[in-house]
Amino acid sequence: MSVSRIGLVVHGGRPEAAEAAHVVRSWCAAHSVPCRDIDVWNEGGRHSARQEMAEAGDPDLIVTLGGDGTFLRGARLASAVDALVLGVDLGRVGFLTEVPAAEVRSALDAVGEGRLEVEQRMLLNMRASRRLVVPSDMEALMRYGRGPLLPPPRVRPECEAGGEWGIALDVSALNDVVLEKLVRDRQVSVGVYLAGRLLASYSADALLVATPTGSTAYSFAAGGPVVSPRADAVIFTPVAPHMTFNRSVVAAPDEPVGLRILERSGQAAVSIDGQVRGVLYPGDWIGVYAAPRRLRAVRLGPMDFYGRLRERMNLTDAPAAIADGTPAPLWPVTTPPPGDLAHLAMPERPSLGRLE
Ligand SMILES: NC(=O)c1ccc[n+]([C@@H]2O[C@H](COP(=O)([O-])OP(=O)(O)OC[C@H]3O[C@@H](n4cnc5c(N)ncnc54)[C@H](O)[C@@H]3O)[C@@H](O)[C@H]2O)c1
Ligand SMILES: Nc1ncnc2c1ncn2[C@@H]1O[C@H](COP(=O)(O)OP(=O)(O)OP(=O)(O)O)[C@@H](O)[C@H]1O
């Protein structure tokens, strides 16, 4: 696999990201690969992901230099046109990024020589009862601690009229679509429908629909399950619901989640991967469902999702388990298991129906 053009998304607030960007640009110059910066923090001038990619010369690889937020910004661009995305870790958590900053040059060598795997990640698409609008005074409200807002998602060009199930918005979420109360003291009241059937009416601070990738983000913070990013699922998680049923529901990929704002509810902000993209009012609804298209993320080694979960989330062992003898062995994903522990990993995936 060869890469012919690179688009760079750099966290502008980090000197180390600027340094890593310099390394990427010099690698590109040495390998005659055109490289363009894509300013996803561009004040006022944001466009649809497709337009931003076209303006950058349609790169086939997006390299992000920053944390998970920067990766999510790059993933939004890449997924719009099926480009690859490679995350270089210069953030605080770095759950989504692939390579440490010190390895950026060798990572580009590997990509240039085709020594990579492409991991496919499920995305969410969204429909709504109407176009989303970000009120004009919203930007000032939301600016604290964040960059400029993205514009509201456009209606997908091929779906202007909408058919019987609302209008399709030009949105791909890698983590989550979040519907949350707009003002601090007014919860949202929402009818929640799974696969077209009412689950329950919720009064809550927020309601999330997450992908398996997003299961370790906001949904995790709200008590949701950790779901392997290799699985296909639509995860519904309420945040502080004022009711007894507060569990997550893990739905099948062909079971959409519908959220309908009830008559006297407070207004609700809609965020996609952490970015506010519109406000909904009573009577409005959104439907969130697994996208037909997937994100294509570059992997340069085996993906150790559970090792990463343990390490990045600082999982700690039970004190009683530690007191109960030798700690459970831990070994790098790249080395074979020690001693007689080989049986802990299945050598090959059994096909369905052959489990014995
Ligand atoms: N209470 C919360 O935990 C909370 C609240 C709002 C939003 N979020 C999440 O933040 C995401 C946007 O990320 P951001 O970096 O722009 O905002 P941010 O900086 O507010 O991110 C919140 C934290 O989530 C981490 N994160 C992001 N995606 C992750 C993932 N898939 N798995 C594990 N950790 C992840 C980030 O590294 C960061 O530490 C949203 O998609 C939402 O899921 C979390
Ligand atoms: N070029 C830039 N111009 C303006 N603001 C920028 C630029 N780059 C980054 N920022 C600011 O940095 C912040 C990005 O934070 P974000 O939390 O998304 O970073 P991150 O990549 O997730 O890193 P971390 O893991 O440390 O959170 C935003 O507030 C944004 O305004």
Side-chain angles (χ1 to χ4, degrees):
M1 179 177 306
S2 67
V3 166
S4 54
R5 276 171 192 280
I6 288 182
L8 254 187
V9 175
V10 187
H11 190 305
R14 303 239 159 84
E16 322 85 74
E19 267 170 48
H22 188 67
V23 173
V24 176
R25 287 188 207 104
S26 59
W27 184 94
C28 287
H31 292 79
S32 308
V33 174
C35 175
R36 289 269 287 275
D37 278 53
I38 307 182
D39 186 359
V40 293
W41 287 274
N42 178 14
E43 192 75 56
R46 301 301 306 278
H47 299 298
S48 74
R50 228 164 274 148
Q51 273 173 308
E52 287 180 30
M53 286 296 271
E55 279 164 20
D58 278 321
D60 43 21
L61 171 68
I62 294 288
V63 176
T64 71
L65 306 171
D68 291 325
T70 307
F71 183 83
L72 290 167
R73 288 170 171 86
R76 169 179 167 268
L77 298 173
S79 67
V81 295
D82 273 341
L84 293 169
V85 61
L86 170 67
V88 177
D89 184 16
L90 287 144
R92 292 167 300 167
V93 176
F95 205 88
L96 300 172
T97 46
E98 174 69 2
V99 283
E103 292 171 22
V104 67
R105 198 183 296 275
S106 56
L108 290 172
D109 285 341
V111 170
E113 291 158 18
R115 286 184 283 113
L116 78 160
E117 289 200 11
V118 177
E119 190 195 8
Q120 311 242 344
R121 290 273 176 126
M122 202 191 101
L123 299 165
L124 294 170
N125 280 168
M126 185 178 148
R127 284 172 177 260
S129 49
R130 61 176 181 80
R131 287 163 190 266
L132 292 188
V133 176
V134 180
S136 54
D137 53 352
M138 188 86 169
E139 176 128 7
L141 275 177
M142 306 306 297
R143 277 298 294 265
Y144 185 69
R146 312 294 307 173
L149 287 176
L150 280 167
R154 298 172 187 208
V155 175
R156 252 185 258 146
E158 74 279 8
C159 193
E160 180 74 42
E164 69 272 18
W165 199 46
I167 53 172
L169 300 179
D170 213 351
V171 156
S172 290
L174 175 60
N175 266 353
D176 40 35
V177 175
V178 176
L179 195 152
E180 63 194 314
K181 65 180 183 182
L182 192 60
V183 288
R184 201 189 49 75
D185 57 353
R186 192 86 171 89
Q187 285 183 312
V188 282
S189 293
V190 176
V192 175
Y193 295 80
L194 270 105
R197 306 294 303 156
L198 179 68
L199 176 70
S201 294
Y202 283 76
S203 182
D205 282 2
L207 300 159
L208 335 175
V209 186
T211 61
T213 297
S215 72
T216 47
Y218 198 175
S219 176
F220 176 85
V226 172
V227 179
S228 164
R230 294 188 47 228
D232 273 357
V234 178
I235 303 147
F236 164 73
T237 301
V239 180
H242 198 244
M243 58 203 285
T244 48
F245 181 67
N246 64 354
R247 307 292 177 83
S248 283
V249 177
V250 181
D254 62 352
E255 295 178 327
V257 179
L259 305 172
R260 184 168 164 276
I261 317 273
L262 300 178
E263 196 185 0
R264 293 202 199 89
S265 166
Q267 295 166 354
V270 178
S271 308
I272 293 138
D273 286 346
Q275 308 256 311
V276 177
R277 305 293 294 276
V279 171
L280 293 180
Y281 302 88
D284 290 338
W285 60 264
I286 57 170
V288 185
Y289 52 98
R293 177 182 286 182
R294 284 163 192 272
L295 177 73
R296 297 167 64 233
V298 171
R299 292 279 165 243
L300 300 172
M303 171 61 183
D304 182 17
F305 172 70
Y306 301 104
R308 186 171 289 201
L309 183 67
R310 182 181 163 86
E311 183 200 320
R312 303 285 159 98
M313 297 296 193
N314 284 340
L315 302 198
T316 49
D317 303 314
I322 295 168
D324 274 347
T326 321
L330 183 64
W331 61 93
V333 72
T334 43
T335 59
D340 64 347
L341 295 172
H343 60 277
L344 290 180
M346 269 192 282
E348 58 187 57
R349 263 174 264 151
S351 57
L352 280 179
R354 282 187 49 233
L355 279 170
E356 279 145 16

